[in-house]
Amino acid sequence: MQLAFYILSFIAVFAAVMVVLSDRPIVSGLFLLLCFTAISGLYITLSAPFIAAMQLVVYSGAIIVLFLFVLMLLNQHRESPSKRNRFVTFVSVLGGVLIGVFIYLTMLKSKILLSYTKMSAVGGMKNNVETIAGVMFKKYFIPFELISILLLAAMVAAVFLSKKRV
Amino acid sequence: MMEGLLNPQTFMVFKVVVVFVAVLTLVALATWAERRGAAFIQDRVGPNRVALFGKIRIFGLGQPLADGLKLFFKEDVLPLNVDRVLYTIAPVISFIPATMTFAAIPFGKPFVKNGIQYFLSILPPDTNIGVLYIFALAGMGVYGIIIGGWASNNKWSILGAMRASAQVISYELAMTLAVVGVVISAGSLRLDRIIEAQNGLWNIVPQFIGAIVFFVSMFAETNRLPFDFAEGESEIIGYHTEYMSMKFSMFFLAEYANMITASGLFVTLYLGGWHFPILDSTVIGSVVAFVIKLLFVLWCFIWVRWTLPRFRYDQLMRLGWKVMLPLSLINLVIVALFYAYGG
């Protein structure tokens, strides 16, 4: 399980870096897909198959398809290298590394890093869905419903705004 | 001797090998059945010339073997200006999920031996996400289409890929909503619970609307006629136009493997899985019952293909969004109301 964690997290980080480094938008989108898929594998090592499946359905399945559709319609094959300013790149990398270090330091103090102790084989995956349902529909019922209404309103607004007036 | 070998580990390996080989053999048989079935429906003879050792014809059953050999030994040309890596990866991406999805489907009755519970599906039922596993992986198949069309560096391939992926995404919605009705009636995402819940009355009777929606969406999801826009062999050009040899046959195998998984899922969700009067009293009988049902649904695929003409693209989209989606929502509301107040 530890080995699976190291392999999957290496793939995820590598893919995330390649999303930024690749100069073709479609390839960036596909690396993002690889990153999301590796993360769903990480969820499985944490005995959370429901979250893993949802990660695959929602992020890998729906959102990346949407990205790729837009990119394919724009038909932008290659980003021109002249648009890449060296100074901006340097500052961005520095900023990214700093933010990463701060997040790492924060996590060292929190309990999140210890989650690998909860890793277990497939046998430990019982009652996953029931637990999530209990939390969502009993403990946090009202916030959950409010979020659904908010999402619905956003969806209606998006359809309304993008519609052509005849 | 066989008794001594029976332990969970060897049984797992046995299951994986048997299921993989069985599915791929069934793929080969399905191509043969498709061509013979087409000939039967159109009152022709069909392929019956391929003979083993030049003598034994057995209804042209050697045809899939000959086709496979032909595809394997064909020259594999890399078209000009394609994206080499993505062009090669695309068939693999569509083939892997197609062979992985069958793992969740229980194809026989679980049995107990020496105090250990053995179940006849590759994915352990305790994983608890049965249906979701299939939908999550089946959703990955669409990337084979998109990447294949894009990497070919051909305008018509890209258009074909957009068309096919839009179709798959549209019908996935109606299909998932139809399955939610089944999940509510069984009270679990686990496929073995769903089969148990159908003991006595198959889901196709109380959830008739959902079954119809699932059945129609199944054809669109696997890109089969009458929704054959992915391939569009006779007039429009599909996403795998630039593919040949083994790369093309990977797409081809993926389509047939998807058909088998879809049939298996339909049998599990609506036709009672391995349940059948008398037959399911033994383990082997239950596997036989499952296979018979699966073959029947598989035959329906071929039957429909040679009976109905192809839809037009706007008709397909209208059917998906304006007929199938509302129907599956109605089914969902009826089932939910029944289980909230009536059951």
Side-chain angles (χ1 to χ4, degrees):
Chain A
M1 274 302 165
Q2 296 266 359
L3 184 68
F5 169 78
Y6 283 118
I7 293 172
L8 286 169
S9 50
F10 174 76
I11 293 175
V13 172
F14 169 75
V17 170
M18 285 309 287
V19 171
V20 187
L21 292 186
S22 166
D23 60 348
R24 283 180 304 171
I26 296 255
V27 177
S28 292
L30 291 174
F31 270 118
L32 194 58
L33 168 69
L34 184 63
C35 178
F36 284 163
T37 312
I39 287 173
S40 106
L42 283 179
Y43 285 131
I44 289 178
T45 63
L46 292 171
S47 314
F50 182 74
I51 311 278
M54 276 301 145
Q55 169 88 9
L56 276 185
V57 169
V58 177
Y59 285 96
S60 306
I63 290 179
I64 300 289
V65 167
L66 204 68
F67 280 7
L68 290 184
F69 253 72
V70 174
L71 290 174
M72 270 160 79
L73 283 174
L74 289 177
N75 203 17
Q76 189 191 12
H77 278 284
R78 209 171 270 274
E79 206 176 290
S80 57
S82 62
K83 278 185 187 166
R84 298 200 163 187
N85 188 324
R86 272 171 182 271
F87 177 69
V88 173
T89 315
F90 176 72
V91 173
S92 321
V93 168
L94 200 70
V97 169
L98 273 180
I99 292 173
V101 167
F102 281 128
I103 290 177
Y104 182 68
L105 290 177
T106 322
M107 286 220 172
L108 275 183
K109 288 184 178 174
S110 71
K111 289 175 186 167
I112 299 174
L113 260 194
L114 296 175
S115 62
Y116 71 85
T117 54
K118 294 203 172 71
M119 281 184 184
S120 69
V122 180
M125 294 176 174
K126 283 167 190 165
N127 298 325
N128 222 290
V129 187
E130 288 83 348
T131 314
I132 290 171
V135 172
M136 267 187 176
F137 292 104
K138 284 191 185 124
K139 200 175 172 194
Y140 295 110
F141 177 69
I142 293 171
F144 181 67
E145 291 297 312
L146 281 178
I147 288 173
S148 349
I149 292 171
L150 189 69
L151 278 176
L152 183 68
M155 211 160 72
V156 172
V159 169
F160 180 75
L161 285 176
S162 62
K163 201 181 150 197
K164 266 187 200 156
R165 309 276 153 73
V166 185
Chain B
M1 193 195 95
M2 290 300 288
E3 297 291 312
L5 282 174
L6 189 71
N7 64 51
Q9 282 79 32
T10 51
F11 191 61
M12 189 69 180
V13 174
F14 176 73
K15 272 188 303 194
V16 171
V17 172
V18 165
V19 168
F20 194 70
V21 170
V23 167
L24 285 185
T25 313
L26 208 54
V27 165
L29 280 178
T31 59
W32 172 81
E34 174 124 70
R35 298 181 63 186
R36 293 288 290 191
F40 171 69
I41 288 170
Q42 296 172 343
D43 204 9
R44 295 186 280 117
V45 180
N48 70 345
R49 291 283 138 181
V50 176
L52 296 175
F53 312 113
K55 290 256 172 61
I56 318 155
R57 271 202 201 159
I58 43 170
F59 313 110
L61 259 175
Q63 187 71 42
L65 206 67
D67 283 344
L69 278 176
K70 180 199 76 177
L71 281 166
F72 199 77
F73 286 115
K74 257 190 169 176
E75 188 186 359
D76 195 5
V77 184
L78 204 68
L80 206 62
N81 291 332
V82 300
D83 186 312
R84 278 159 184 264
V85 179
L86 291 180
Y87 179 80
T88 319
I89 276 180
V92 181
I93 289 182
S94 75
F95 185 69
I96 290 177
T99 44
M100 274 175 83
T101 39
F102 200 88
I105 293 174
F107 52 89
K109 195 160 85 166
F111 60 94
V112 178
K113 200 121 201 186
N114 302 333
I116 307 169
Q117 174 98 18
Y118 292 95
F119 41 85
L120 285 171
S121 69
I122 296 175
L123 199 73
D126 280 340
T127 315
N128 217 346
I129 52 164
V131 183
L132 271 178
Y133 168 85
I134 293 178
F135 278 101
L137 279 176
M140 295 294 102
V142 78
Y143 289 108
I145 297 177
I146 294 183
I147 297 173
W150 188 78
S152 297
N153 194 28
N154 176 336
K155 291 189 181 83
W156 289 279
S157 285
I158 291 184
L159 287 176
M162 306 276 287
R163 209 168 45 220
S165 46
Q167 165 190 340
V168 170
I169 295 164
S170 306
Y171 277 78
E172 210 168 67
L173 214 60
M175 197 180 199
T176 318
L177 280 174
V179 172
V180 173
V182 175
V183 171
I184 288 176
S185 72
S188 175
L189 287 166
R190 293 170 55 159
L191 285 166
D192 56 333
R193 293 268 168 78
I194 289 173
I195 292 175
E196 265 170 45
Q198 294 179 69
N199 203 354
L201 182 66
W202 294 353
N203 268 337
I204 195 166
V205 180
Q207 301 200 26
F208 190 62
I209 308 173
I212 289 178
V213 171
F214 188 90
F215 192 72
V216 172
S217 310
M218 205 162 82
F219 284 83
E221 284 293 304
T222 51
N223 293 322
R224 292 280 298 178
L225 263 135
F227 310 119
D228 187 18
F229 293 96
E231 195 177 346
E233 51 185 8
S234 51
E235 68 277 3
I236 46 181
I237 298 175
Y239 62 95
H240 44 37
T241 308
E242 300 287 346
Y243 281 90
M244 66 209 81
S245 155
M246 253 343 252
K247 294 204 188 85
F248 171 75
S249 63
M250 293 275 256
F251 279 124
F252 196 67
L253 290 177
E255 180 183 321
Y256 277 85
N258 277 332
M259 269 164 64
I260 290 166
T261 310
S263 310
L265 195 57
F266 187 76
V267 168
T268 308
L269 294 176
Y270 292 102
L271 297 181
W274 41 263
H275 279 301
F276 201 81
I278 305 163
L279 261 183
D280 65 0
S281 51
T282 60
V283 177
I284 295 171
S286 68
V287 176
V288 169
F290 177 81
V291 171
I292 289 173
K293 287 179 192 174
L294 188 137
L295 288 179
F296 173 72
V297 181
L298 207 55
W299 168 247
C300 284
F301 270 105
I302 295 165
W303 195 1
V304 168
R305 172 166 183 182
W306 300 103
T307 309
L308 296 178
R310 182 184 297 137
F311 275 50
R312 218 170 52 216
Y313 188 61
D314 60 321
Q315 291 171 330
L316 165 96
M317 281 298 166
R318 196 181 307 140
L319 182 73
W321 289 101
K322 292 191 173 169
V323 180
M324 287 303 151
L325 192 60
L327 271 182
S328 60
L329 278 173
I330 290 170
N331 176 61
L332 178 61
V333 169
I334 292 173
V335 173
L337 282 178
F338 178 78
Y339 280 95
Y341 298 107

